[in-house]
Amino acid sequence: MAVAPSEDVLDIEFDDTYGLAEGQPVLIWTEQRVYFPVVYDGAEWLGSAPRNPTREGQPHVGGE
């Protein structure tokens, strides 16, 4: 696993309620997936996409 900017960001919780985006920038690479921050109406979470292309494609992220 690789984390940018550093693994310190893994200790910071995202705010999953309405409000302003306050999460830290982060990218996480695993063998199978890449994780990235997502925000919708101020709620924050980590989304992910396959590290390599797949036939299934990628569903929409956020706004569900």
Side-chain angles (χ1 to χ4, degrees):
M1 176 175 74
V3 181
S6 74
E7 289 194 18
D8 293 339
V9 297
L10 299 178
D11 295 330
I12 301 170
E13 289 190 34
F14 280 94
D15 180 359
D16 63 357
T17 61
Y18 178 81
L20 299 174
E22 298 176 7
Q24 299 294 312
V26 62
L27 283 172
I28 302 168
W29 295 267
T30 68
E31 285 188 31
Q32 300 296 318
R33 306 207 52 90
V34 177
Y35 295 86
F36 49 85
V38 179
V39 63
Y40 179 76
D41 276 349
E44 303 169 308
W45 64 94
L46 286 178
S48 70
R51 185 174 179 135
N52 299 300
T54 66
R55 292 185 184 272
E56 296 80 26
Q58 171 67 31
H60 286 80
V61 177
E64 296 179 9

Short mmCIF file of all heavy atoms in Angstrom, two decimals:
data_model
loop_
_atom_site.label_atom_id
_atom_site.label_comp_id
_atom_site.label_asym_id
_atom_site.label_seq_id
_atom_site.Cartn_x
_atom_site.Cartn_y
_atom_site.Cartn_z
N MET A 1 0.85 -1.17 0.00
CA MET A 1 0.00 0.00 0.00
C MET A 1 0.90 1.23 0.00
O MET A 1 1.92 1.27 0.67
CB MET A 1 -0.90 -0.01 1.23
CG MET A 1 -1.76 1.22 1.35
SD MET A 1 -2.96 1.20 2.70
CE MET A 1 -1.92 1.46 4.12
N ALA A 2 0.48 2.25 -0.74
CA ALA A 2 1.17 3.54 -0.75
C ALA A 2 0.15 4.63 -0.44
O ALA A 2 -1.00 4.55 -0.88
CB ALA A 2 1.82 3.79 -2.10
N VAL A 3 0.57 5.63 0.33
CA VAL A 3 -0.33 6.72 0.74
C VAL A 3 0.35 8.06 0.45
O VAL A 3 1.51 8.25 0.76
CB VAL A 3 -0.66 6.63 2.25
CG1 VAL A 3 -1.59 7.75 2.65
CG2 VAL A 3 -1.26 5.29 2.59
N ALA A 4 -0.40 8.98 -0.14
CA ALA A 4 0.10 10.34 -0.36
C ALA A 4 -0.89 11.31 0.28
O ALA A 4 -2.09 11.10 0.19
CB ALA A 4 0.23 10.63 -1.85
N PRO A 5 -0.46 12.34 0.97
CA PRO A 5 0.93 12.76 1.10
C PRO A 5 1.72 11.93 2.10
O PRO A 5 2.94 11.78 1.96
CB PRO A 5 0.83 14.21 1.55
CG PRO A 5 -0.48 14.32 2.24
CD PRO A 5 -1.37 13.31 1.58
N SER A 6 1.09 11.37 3.14
CA SER A 6 1.78 10.48 4.08
C SER A 6 0.73 9.67 4.83
O SER A 6 -0.47 10.00 4.81
CB SER A 6 2.62 11.28 5.08
OG SER A 6 1.80 11.92 6.03
N GLU A 7 1.16 8.63 5.53
CA GLU A 7 0.21 7.79 6.28
C GLU A 7 -0.42 8.52 7.45
O GLU A 7 -1.41 8.04 8.02
CB GLU A 7 0.90 6.50 6.73
CG GLU A 7 1.17 5.57 5.57
CD GLU A 7 1.53 4.17 5.99
OE1 GLU A 7 1.27 3.79 7.15
OE2 GLU A 7 2.07 3.44 5.14
N ASP A 8 0.07 9.69 7.82
CA ASP A 8 -0.53 10.48 8.90
C ASP A 8 -1.99 10.83 8.60
O ASP A 8 -2.81 10.94 9.51
CB ASP A 8 0.25 11.77 9.14
CG ASP A 8 1.64 11.51 9.69
OD1 ASP A 8 1.87 10.41 10.26
OD2 ASP A 8 2.50 12.40 9.55
N VAL A 9 -2.34 10.99 7.32
CA VAL A 9 -3.73 11.35 6.98
C VAL A 9 -4.70 10.22 7.30
O VAL A 9 -5.90 10.46 7.41
CB VAL A 9 -3.88 11.78 5.50
CG1 VAL A 9 -3.09 13.03 5.21
CG2 VAL A 9 -3.51 10.67 4.56
N LEU A 10 -4.22 9.00 7.47
CA LEU A 10 -5.10 7.88 7.78
C LEU A 10 -5.68 7.98 9.19
O LEU A 10 -6.67 7.33 9.50
CB LEU A 10 -4.36 6.55 7.62
CG LEU A 10 -3.83 6.26 6.21
CD1 LEU A 10 -3.06 4.95 6.20
CD2 LEU A 10 -4.95 6.26 5.20
N ASP A 11 -5.09 8.82 10.03
CA ASP A 11 -5.57 8.99 11.40
C ASP A 11 -6.64 10.08 11.52
O ASP A 11 -7.20 10.28 12.58
CB ASP A 11 -4.41 9.36 12.33
CG ASP A 11 -3.41 8.22 12.44
OD1 ASP A 11 -3.82 7.05 12.33
OD2 ASP A 11 -2.22 8.50 12.64
N ILE A 12 -6.95 10.78 10.43
CA ILE A 12 -7.91 11.88 10.45
C ILE A 12 -9.25 11.38 9.93
O ILE A 12 -9.34 10.83 8.84
CB ILE A 12 -7.40 13.06 9.58
CG1 ILE A 12 -6.05 13.55 10.11
CG2 ILE A 12 -8.43 14.18 9.55
CD1 ILE A 12 -5.36 14.53 9.19
N GLU A 13 -10.31 11.57 10.73
CA GLU A 13 -11.64 11.11 10.32
C GLU A 13 -12.28 12.12 9.38
O GLU A 13 -12.11 13.33 9.52
CB GLU A 13 -12.54 10.94 11.55
CG GLU A 13 -12.14 9.75 12.39
CD GLU A 13 -13.17 9.46 13.46
OE1 GLU A 13 -14.37 9.67 13.21
OE2 GLU A 13 -12.76 9.01 14.53
N PHE A 14 -13.05 11.60 8.42
CA PHE A 14 -13.83 12.46 7.53
C PHE A 14 -15.12 12.84 8.25
O PHE A 14 -15.64 12.10 9.07
CB PHE A 14 -14.19 11.72 6.24
CG PHE A 14 -13.07 11.69 5.24
CD1 PHE A 14 -12.20 10.63 5.18
CD2 PHE A 14 -12.91 12.73 4.34
CE1 PHE A 14 -11.18 10.58 4.25
CE2 PHE A 14 -11.90 12.72 3.41
CZ PHE A 14 -11.03 11.64 3.36
N ASP A 15 -15.67 14.00 7.91
CA ASP A 15 -16.94 14.47 8.45
C ASP A 15 -18.03 14.00 7.49
O ASP A 15 -18.11 14.49 6.36
CB ASP A 15 -16.93 16.00 8.56
CG ASP A 15 -18.22 16.55 9.10
OD1 ASP A 15 -19.16 15.77 9.39
OD2 ASP A 15 -18.32 17.78 9.23
N ASP A 16 -18.87 13.06 7.91
CA ASP A 16 -19.89 12.52 7.01
C ASP A 16 -21.25 13.19 7.18
O ASP A 16 -22.28 12.64 6.81
CB ASP A 16 -20.00 11.00 7.16
CG ASP A 16 -20.45 10.57 8.56
OD1 ASP A 16 -20.61 11.44 9.43
OD2 ASP A 16 -20.65 9.36 8.75
N THR A 17 -21.25 14.42 7.73
CA THR A 17 -22.49 15.18 7.87
C THR A 17 -22.46 16.40 6.95
O THR A 17 -21.43 16.74 6.38
CB THR A 17 -22.69 15.66 9.32
OG1 THR A 17 -21.60 16.51 9.69
CG2 THR A 17 -22.75 14.47 10.28
N TYR A 18 -23.60 17.06 6.82
CA TYR A 18 -23.71 18.25 5.98
C TYR A 18 -22.81 19.36 6.50
O TYR A 18 -22.64 19.53 7.70
CB TYR A 18 -25.18 18.72 5.99
CG TYR A 18 -25.41 19.97 5.19
CD1 TYR A 18 -25.54 19.90 3.81
CD2 TYR A 18 -25.48 21.20 5.81
CE1 TYR A 18 -25.75 21.04 3.06
CE2 TYR A 18 -25.69 22.35 5.07
CZ TYR A 18 -25.83 22.27 3.70
OH TYR A 18 -26.03 23.40 2.96
N GLY A 19 -22.23 20.13 5.60
CA GLY A 19 -21.37 21.25 5.98
C GLY A 19 -20.30 21.50 4.94
O GLY A 19 -20.47 21.17 3.78
N LEU A 20 -19.20 22.04 5.38
CA LEU A 20 -18.10 22.34 4.48
C LEU A 20 -17.14 21.16 4.39
O LEU A 20 -16.97 20.41 5.35
CB LEU A 20 -17.32 23.56 4.99
CG LEU A 20 -18.10 24.87 5.08
CD1 LEU A 20 -17.26 25.95 5.73
CD2 LEU A 20 -18.57 25.30 3.70
N ALA A 21 -16.50 21.02 3.25
CA ALA A 21 -15.46 19.99 3.09
C ALA A 21 -14.25 20.41 3.91
O ALA A 21 -13.72 21.50 3.73
CB ALA A 21 -15.09 19.84 1.62
N GLU A 22 -13.84 19.55 4.83
CA GLU A 22 -12.71 19.87 5.70
C GLU A 22 -11.65 18.78 5.69
O GLU A 22 -10.64 18.89 6.37
CB GLU A 22 -13.20 20.08 7.13
CG GLU A 22 -14.16 21.23 7.26
CD GLU A 22 -14.72 21.39 8.67
OE1 GLU A 22 -14.26 20.68 9.58
OE2 GLU A 22 -15.62 22.21 8.84
N GLY A 23 -11.87 17.70 4.95
CA GLY A 23 -10.93 16.59 4.93
C GLY A 23 -9.61 16.94 4.27
O GLY A 23 -9.52 17.89 3.48
N GLN A 24 -8.61 16.17 4.59
CA GLN A 24 -7.28 16.36 4.02
C GLN A 24 -7.19 15.72 2.64
O GLN A 24 -7.86 14.73 2.36
CB GLN A 24 -6.24 15.70 4.94
CG GLN A 24 -6.20 16.28 6.32
CD GLN A 24 -5.72 17.71 6.31
OE1 GLN A 24 -4.72 18.03 5.68
NE2 GLN A 24 -6.45 18.58 6.97
N PRO A 25 -6.35 16.27 1.76
CA PRO A 25 -6.10 15.60 0.49
C PRO A 25 -5.44 14.26 0.75
O PRO A 25 -4.57 14.16 1.61
CB PRO A 25 -5.13 16.53 -0.23
CG PRO A 25 -5.13 17.81 0.52
CD PRO A 25 -5.60 17.51 1.90
N VAL A 26 -5.85 13.23 0.03
CA VAL A 26 -5.27 11.90 0.24
C VAL A 26 -5.47 11.05 -1.02
O VAL A 26 -6.48 11.17 -1.71
CB VAL A 26 -5.88 11.20 1.47
CG1 VAL A 26 -7.36 10.98 1.30
CG2 VAL A 26 -5.18 9.88 1.77
N LEU A 27 -4.49 10.24 -1.32
CA LEU A 27 -4.60 9.17 -2.32
C LEU A 27 -3.98 7.93 -1.71
O LEU A 27 -2.92 8.00 -1.08
CB LEU A 27 -3.86 9.52 -3.61
CG LEU A 27 -4.54 10.51 -4.53
CD1 LEU A 27 -3.60 10.89 -5.66
CD2 LEU A 27 -5.82 9.91 -5.10
N ILE A 28 -4.66 6.79 -1.88
CA ILE A 28 -4.17 5.52 -1.35
C ILE A 28 -4.20 4.51 -2.48
O ILE A 28 -5.23 4.32 -3.12
CB ILE A 28 -5.06 5.04 -0.18
CG1 ILE A 28 -5.10 6.09 0.92
CG2 ILE A 28 -4.55 3.70 0.34
CD1 ILE A 28 -6.18 5.83 1.96
N TRP A 29 -3.06 3.87 -2.72
CA TRP A 29 -2.96 2.85 -3.74
C TRP A 29 -2.78 1.49 -3.08
O TRP A 29 -1.89 1.31 -2.25
CB TRP A 29 -1.74 3.08 -4.64
CG TRP A 29 -1.79 4.31 -5.47
CD1 TRP A 29 -2.25 4.42 -6.76
CD2 TRP A 29 -1.33 5.61 -5.11
NE1 TRP A 29 -2.10 5.72 -7.20
CE2 TRP A 29 -1.54 6.47 -6.19
CE3 TRP A 29 -0.75 6.14 -3.94
CZ2 TRP A 29 -1.19 7.81 -6.17
CZ3 TRP A 29 -0.42 7.47 -3.92
CH2 TRP A 29 -0.64 8.30 -5.02
N THR A 30 -3.66 0.54 -3.42
CA THR A 30 -3.48 -0.84 -2.98
C THR A 30 -3.23 -1.68 -4.23
O THR A 30 -3.23 -1.15 -5.36
CB THR A 30 -4.72 -1.37 -2.23
OG1 THR A 30 -5.81 -1.49 -3.15
CG2 THR A 30 -5.10 -0.46 -1.08
N GLU A 31 -3.08 -2.98 -4.06
CA GLU A 31 -2.85 -3.84 -5.23
C GLU A 31 -4.04 -3.81 -6.18
O GLU A 31 -3.88 -3.93 -7.39
CB GLU A 31 -2.58 -5.27 -4.79
CG GLU A 31 -1.20 -5.47 -4.22
CD GLU A 31 -0.91 -6.94 -3.98
OE1 GLU A 31 -1.42 -7.80 -4.72
OE2 GLU A 31 -0.15 -7.21 -3.03
N GLN A 32 -5.26 -3.66 -5.64
CA GLN A 32 -6.47 -3.74 -6.46
C GLN A 32 -7.17 -2.41 -6.71
O GLN A 32 -7.87 -2.25 -7.70
CB GLN A 32 -7.47 -4.70 -5.81
CG GLN A 32 -6.94 -6.11 -5.66
CD GLN A 32 -6.67 -6.77 -6.99
OE1 GLN A 32 -7.44 -6.65 -7.92
NE2 GLN A 32 -5.54 -7.45 -7.09
N ARG A 33 -7.03 -1.43 -5.78
CA ARG A 33 -7.84 -0.21 -5.86
C ARG A 33 -7.04 1.04 -5.57
O ARG A 33 -5.98 0.99 -4.95
CB ARG A 33 -9.02 -0.29 -4.87
CG ARG A 33 -9.81 -1.57 -5.09
CD ARG A 33 -11.23 -1.57 -4.72
NE ARG A 33 -12.10 -0.54 -5.20
CZ ARG A 33 -12.79 -0.59 -6.34
NH1 ARG A 33 -12.66 -1.60 -7.16
NH2 ARG A 33 -13.63 0.38 -6.66
N VAL A 34 -7.59 2.17 -6.03
CA VAL A 34 -7.07 3.49 -5.69
C VAL A 34 -8.19 4.22 -4.95
O VAL A 34 -9.32 4.28 -5.43
CB VAL A 34 -6.67 4.29 -6.95
CG1 VAL A 34 -6.21 5.69 -6.58
CG2 VAL A 34 -5.59 3.56 -7.73
N TYR A 35 -7.89 4.76 -3.78
CA TYR A 35 -8.87 5.46 -2.95
C TYR A 35 -8.60 6.96 -2.99
O TYR A 35 -7.44 7.38 -3.01
CB TYR A 35 -8.80 4.95 -1.50
CG TYR A 35 -9.21 3.52 -1.38
CD1 TYR A 35 -8.29 2.49 -1.58
CD2 TYR A 35 -10.53 3.18 -1.09
CE1 TYR A 35 -8.68 1.16 -1.50
CE2 TYR A 35 -10.91 1.85 -1.00
CZ TYR A 35 -9.99 0.85 -1.20
OH TYR A 35 -10.36 -0.46 -1.13
N PHE A 36 -9.66 7.76 -2.98
CA PHE A 36 -9.56 9.21 -3.11
C PHE A 36 -10.71 9.86 -2.35
O PHE A 36 -11.75 9.24 -2.13
CB PHE A 36 -9.60 9.61 -4.59
CG PHE A 36 -10.74 8.97 -5.34
CD1 PHE A 36 -12.01 9.52 -5.34
CD2 PHE A 36 -10.54 7.76 -6.00
CE1 PHE A 36 -13.05 8.91 -6.00
CE2 PHE A 36 -11.59 7.14 -6.67
CZ PHE A 36 -12.84 7.71 -6.67
N PRO A 37 -10.55 11.14 -1.94
CA PRO A 37 -11.62 11.80 -1.20
C PRO A 37 -12.77 12.20 -2.12
O PRO A 37 -12.56 12.58 -3.27
CB PRO A 37 -10.94 13.03 -0.60
CG PRO A 37 -9.75 13.27 -1.45
CD PRO A 37 -9.35 11.96 -2.04
N VAL A 38 -13.98 12.10 -1.57
CA VAL A 38 -15.20 12.49 -2.27
C VAL A 38 -15.99 13.39 -1.33
O VAL A 38 -16.00 13.17 -0.11
CB VAL A 38 -16.06 11.26 -2.64
CG1 VAL A 38 -17.34 11.68 -3.35
CG2 VAL A 38 -15.26 10.28 -3.49
N VAL A 39 -16.66 14.40 -1.88
CA VAL A 39 -17.52 15.27 -1.07
C VAL A 39 -18.82 15.53 -1.83
O VAL A 39 -18.82 15.68 -3.06
CB VAL A 39 -16.81 16.60 -0.70
CG1 VAL A 39 -16.50 17.42 -1.92
CG2 VAL A 39 -17.63 17.40 0.28
N TYR A 40 -19.93 15.53 -1.10
CA TYR A 40 -21.23 15.90 -1.65
C TYR A 40 -22.00 16.60 -0.56
O TYR A 40 -22.21 16.03 0.52
CB TYR A 40 -21.99 14.66 -2.15
CG TYR A 40 -23.35 15.00 -2.70
CD1 TYR A 40 -23.47 15.58 -3.95
CD2 TYR A 40 -24.50 14.78 -1.95
CE1 TYR A 40 -24.71 15.93 -4.46
CE2 TYR A 40 -25.74 15.11 -2.44
CZ TYR A 40 -25.85 15.69 -3.71
OH TYR A 40 -27.07 16.03 -4.20
N ASP A 41 -22.42 17.83 -0.81
CA ASP A 41 -23.13 18.65 0.19
C ASP A 41 -22.38 18.70 1.52
O ASP A 41 -22.98 18.69 2.59
CB ASP A 41 -24.54 18.12 0.42
CG ASP A 41 -25.54 18.65 -0.60
OD1 ASP A 41 -25.18 19.58 -1.36
OD2 ASP A 41 -26.67 18.16 -0.63
N GLY A 42 -21.07 18.68 1.45
CA GLY A 42 -20.27 18.77 2.67
C GLY A 42 -19.96 17.46 3.33
O GLY A 42 -19.07 17.37 4.16
N ALA A 43 -20.71 16.40 3.00
CA ALA A 43 -20.40 15.07 3.56
C ALA A 43 -19.18 14.52 2.83
O ALA A 43 -19.10 14.60 1.60
CB ALA A 43 -21.58 14.13 3.39
N GLU A 44 -18.24 13.97 3.57
CA GLU A 44 -16.98 13.50 3.00
C GLU A 44 -16.81 12.01 3.25
O GLU A 44 -17.21 11.49 4.29
CB GLU A 44 -15.81 14.23 3.66
CG GLU A 44 -15.89 15.73 3.52
CD GLU A 44 -14.89 16.44 4.39
OE1 GLU A 44 -14.85 16.16 5.61
OE2 GLU A 44 -14.14 17.25 3.86
N TRP A 45 -16.21 11.32 2.31
CA TRP A 45 -15.88 9.91 2.45
C TRP A 45 -14.82 9.56 1.43
O TRP A 45 -14.46 10.38 0.59
CB TRP A 45 -17.12 9.03 2.29
CG TRP A 45 -17.76 9.07 0.93
CD1 TRP A 45 -17.53 8.20 -0.10
CD2 TRP A 45 -18.73 10.00 0.45
NE1 TRP A 45 -18.30 8.53 -1.18
CE2 TRP A 45 -19.04 9.64 -0.87
CE3 TRP A 45 -19.37 11.11 1.00
CZ2 TRP A 45 -19.97 10.34 -1.64
CZ3 TRP A 45 -20.28 11.80 0.23
CH2 TRP A 45 -20.57 11.41 -1.07
N LEU A 46 -14.32 8.34 1.51
CA LEU A 46 -13.36 7.86 0.52
C LEU A 46 -14.10 7.06 -0.55
O LEU A 46 -14.87 6.16 -0.24
CB LEU A 46 -12.29 6.96 1.15
CG LEU A 46 -11.24 7.67 1.99
CD1 LEU A 46 -10.28 6.65 2.59
CD2 LEU A 46 -10.47 8.69 1.18
N GLY A 47 -13.86 7.42 -1.79
CA GLY A 47 -14.34 6.64 -2.91
C GLY A 47 -13.18 5.79 -3.41
O GLY A 47 -12.04 5.99 -3.01
N SER A 48 -13.47 4.88 -4.30
CA SER A 48 -12.38 4.08 -4.86
C SER A 48 -12.70 3.69 -6.29
O SER A 48 -13.86 3.70 -6.72
CB SER A 48 -12.14 2.83 -4.01
OG SER A 48 -13.19 1.91 -4.15
N ALA A 49 -11.65 3.36 -7.00
CA ALA A 49 -11.76 2.89 -8.38
C ALA A 49 -10.76 1.75 -8.55
O ALA A 49 -9.75 1.70 -7.83
CB ALA A 49 -11.45 4.01 -9.36
N PRO A 50 -11.02 0.86 -9.49
CA PRO A 50 -10.05 -0.20 -9.74
C PRO A 50 -8.70 0.40 -10.15
O PRO A 50 -8.65 1.40 -10.85
CB PRO A 50 -10.66 -0.99 -10.90
CG PRO A 50 -12.10 -0.61 -10.92
CD PRO A 50 -12.18 0.77 -10.37
N ARG A 51 -7.65 -0.22 -9.69
CA ARG A 51 -6.31 0.24 -10.06
C ARG A 51 -6.05 0.02 -11.55
O ARG A 51 -5.34 0.78 -12.19
CB ARG A 51 -5.26 -0.48 -9.22
CG ARG A 51 -3.88 0.03 -9.45
CD ARG A 51 -2.90 -0.60 -8.50
NE ARG A 51 -1.57 -0.12 -8.77
CZ ARG A 51 -0.72 0.27 -7.85
NH1 ARG A 51 -1.07 0.24 -6.58
NH2 ARG A 51 0.47 0.70 -8.17
N ASN A 52 -6.62 -1.03 -12.08
CA ASN A 52 -6.46 -1.35 -13.50
C ASN A 52 -7.84 -1.36 -14.16
O ASN A 52 -8.84 -1.61 -13.50
CB ASN A 52 -5.80 -2.73 -13.65
CG ASN A 52 -4.43 -2.74 -13.02
OD1 ASN A 52 -3.55 -1.99 -13.41
ND2 ASN A 52 -4.25 -3.60 -12.03
N PRO A 53 -7.90 -1.08 -15.46
CA PRO A 53 -9.20 -1.06 -16.15
C PRO A 53 -9.94 -2.39 -16.00
O PRO A 53 -9.33 -3.46 -15.95
CB PRO A 53 -8.80 -0.84 -17.61
CG PRO A 53 -7.46 -0.20 -17.56
CD PRO A 53 -6.79 -0.76 -16.36
N THR A 54 -11.27 -2.29 -15.92
CA THR A 54 -12.13 -3.47 -15.87
C THR A 54 -13.21 -3.35 -16.92
O THR A 54 -13.56 -2.24 -17.35
CB THR A 54 -12.80 -3.62 -14.49
OG1 THR A 54 -13.70 -2.53 -14.30
CG2 THR A 54 -11.78 -3.65 -13.36
N ARG A 55 -13.78 -4.46 -17.29
CA ARG A 55 -14.88 -4.45 -18.28
C ARG A 55 -16.14 -3.81 -17.69
O ARG A 55 -16.97 -3.29 -18.42
CB ARG A 55 -15.20 -5.87 -18.73
CG ARG A 55 -14.12 -6.50 -19.54
CD ARG A 55 -14.58 -7.88 -20.05
NE ARG A 55 -13.51 -8.54 -20.77
CZ ARG A 55 -13.28 -8.39 -22.07
NH1 ARG A 55 -14.05 -7.59 -22.78
NH2 ARG A 55 -12.29 -9.04 -22.66
N GLU A 56 -16.28 -3.83 -16.36
CA GLU A 56 -17.48 -3.31 -15.72
C GLU A 56 -17.50 -1.79 -15.69
O GLU A 56 -18.54 -1.19 -15.44
CB GLU A 56 -17.58 -3.84 -14.28
CG GLU A 56 -17.77 -5.34 -14.19
CD GLU A 56 -16.46 -6.10 -14.35
OE1 GLU A 56 -15.38 -5.54 -14.06
OE2 GLU A 56 -16.50 -7.26 -14.78
N GLY A 57 -16.37 -1.14 -15.86
CA GLY A 57 -16.32 0.31 -15.77
C GLY A 57 -16.36 0.77 -14.33
O GLY A 57 -16.17 0.00 -13.39
N GLN A 58 -16.63 2.07 -14.14
CA GLN A 58 -16.64 2.68 -12.80
C GLN A 58 -17.99 3.37 -12.58
O GLN A 58 -18.37 4.23 -13.38
CB GLN A 58 -15.51 3.70 -12.68
CG GLN A 58 -15.55 4.56 -11.44
CD GLN A 58 -15.31 3.76 -10.16
OE1 GLN A 58 -14.59 2.78 -10.17
NE2 GLN A 58 -15.92 4.19 -9.09
N PRO A 59 -18.72 3.02 -11.51
CA PRO A 59 -19.97 3.73 -11.22
C PRO A 59 -19.71 5.19 -10.85
O PRO A 59 -18.58 5.56 -10.51
CB PRO A 59 -20.54 2.98 -10.02
CG PRO A 59 -19.70 1.77 -9.81
CD PRO A 59 -18.44 1.96 -10.57
N HIS A 60 -20.73 6.00 -10.89
CA HIS A 60 -20.63 7.39 -10.46
C HIS A 60 -20.20 7.46 -9.00
O HIS A 60 -20.55 6.58 -8.20
CB HIS A 60 -21.98 8.10 -10.62
CG HIS A 60 -22.31 8.39 -12.04
ND1 HIS A 60 -22.82 7.45 -12.89
CD2 HIS A 60 -22.17 9.53 -12.77
CE1 HIS A 60 -23.01 7.99 -14.07
NE2 HIS A 60 -22.63 9.25 -14.03
N VAL A 61 -19.50 8.50 -8.65
CA VAL A 61 -19.07 8.72 -7.28
C VAL A 61 -19.76 9.96 -6.75
O VAL A 61 -19.77 11.00 -7.43
CB VAL A 61 -17.53 8.90 -7.21
CG1 VAL A 61 -17.09 9.21 -5.79
CG2 VAL A 61 -16.82 7.67 -7.74
N GLY A 62 -20.37 9.87 -5.57
CA GLY A 62 -21.03 11.02 -4.93
C GLY A 62 -22.43 11.24 -5.48
O GLY A 62 -22.83 10.69 -6.49
N GLY A 63 -23.19 12.04 -4.76
CA GLY A 63 -24.51 12.44 -5.18
C GLY A 63 -25.56 11.34 -5.19
O GLY A 63 -26.56 11.47 -5.84
N GLU A 64 -25.33 10.28 -4.44
CA GLU A 64 -26.30 9.18 -4.45
C GLU A 64 -27.50 9.52 -3.61
O GLU A 64 -27.49 10.21 -2.68
CB GLU A 64 -25.65 7.91 -3.91
CG GLU A 64 -24.54 7.45 -4.80
CD GLU A 64 -23.85 6.20 -4.27
OE1 GLU A 64 -24.32 5.58 -3.30
OE2 GLU A 64 -22.83 5.87 -4.83
#
